[in-house]
Amino acid sequence: MPPNTPVARPHIPLAEVDLNDIDGFADGGGFAQFDTLRAEAPVSFHAEPTLPGFPEGDGHWAITTFDDVWHVSRHPQ
């Protein structure tokens, strides 16, 4: 494949997006998840995973488009 050739990624349905699944990034699936988030839910909240021996976290927001990242970085409230 020539350099800079876009790689076709599989579509991940929004209901299956799991940014806490580390293994999902190993095969490039994490990038496909971000494609889905950018198209269908550009600002989305994700709960923390439950991990034995660790306190429950607050979760995190995924901001996936340039314009939204630009806005949030200048208006953190």
Side-chain angles (χ1 to χ4, degrees):
M1 183 178 326
N4 301 322
T5 301
V7 175
R9 293 189 280 258
H11 174 73
I12 307 292
L14 184 57
E16 294 178 20
V17 169
D18 182 2
L19 298 181
N20 296 316
D21 179 15
I22 296 169
D23 294 331
F25 284 84
D27 64 358
F31 297 106
Q33 292 184 79
F34 281 110
D35 291 343
T36 297
L37 288 175
R38 276 189 292 278
E40 300 178 31
V43 178
S44 57
F45 183 80
H46 300 267
E48 292 284 329
T50 302
L51 300 171
F54 290 90
E56 186 174 327
D58 294 334
H60 64 277
W61 289 92
I63 314 298
T64 60
T65 65
F66 177 86
D67 290 339
D68 290 332
V69 169
W70 192 93
H71 180 82
V72 169
S73 69
R74 283 153 180 82
H75 303 92
Q77 65 282 6

